[in-house]
Amino acid sequence: MGRMNVVCVIMILLGACQPASPDYPESNCAEATEFVQEVENRKGLLSRMEDSDKYAISYHFPGTYDVIEVGVVCSILADFSLPEGGEEPMEVIFSGYYWKYTNVPPSLPAGSAAYYLEVTAISQE
């Protein structure tokens, strides 16, 4: 019985060490199932995706030529004004949650990865 208690305590401690995954919000990207990472105060470019009514925020990793994370925006704060379709990309500072992209990814250059992005904070730079 003592050995079983030790195993239970170890299992509880291991579970407590895992990073918490946020609950996925109700949004237009409800098919996302796997939490990837949380980001804070990243500088990116917000633009409307070609041939789509969706927006994306591109984050270029400093010190690299072609490593870019593209977050297809699932939800964004209601008080933030999104750019119109023909406008140039808008420089923003954003925070949020990246979720695994489960659909066919948008056409992206080599070195890019697509995710769903739940924006929790955003401001125009």
Side-chain angles (χ1 to χ4, degrees):
M1 192 78 150
R3 183 178 276 186
M4 184 63 153
N5 288 341
V6 170
V7 170
C8 287
V9 169
I10 291 172
M11 295 299 287
I12 290 170
L13 290 175
L14 287 175
C17 295
Q18 299 297 320
S21 175
D23 291 330
Y24 192 76
E26 292 296 322
S27 71
N28 62 343
C29 296
E31 59 272 2
T33 56
E34 187 178 327
F35 175 70
V36 176
Q37 68 176 326
E38 180 178 5
V39 297
E40 292 186 8
N41 299 319
R42 278 191 166 178
K43 189 183 293 189
L45 293 174
L46 172 68
S47 59
R48 189 171 195 144
M49 296 175 65
E50 290 183 25
D51 301 327
S52 174
D53 61 347
K54 295 182 181 182
Y55 288 84
I57 299 177
S58 300
Y59 172 74
H60 180 262
F61 281 90
T64 67
Y65 291 107
D66 63 354
V67 180
I68 299 171
E69 284 183 341
V70 177
V72 177
V73 176
C74 296
S75 63
I76 199 163
L77 304 172
D79 62 348
F80 185 79
S81 297
L82 293 167
E84 294 300 321
E87 291 183 22
E88 290 294 314
M90 176 189 296
E91 292 184 357
V92 295
I93 303 294
F94 71 98
S95 298
Y97 302 117
Y98 282 108
W99 298 86
K100 184 176 180 180
Y101 201 87
T102 54
N103 283 335
V104 175
S107 177
L108 299 172
S112 301
Y115 300 96
Y116 293 120
L117 175 60
E118 175 195 354
V119 178
T120 57
I122 189 167
S123 61
Q124 191 170 357
E125 185 177 61

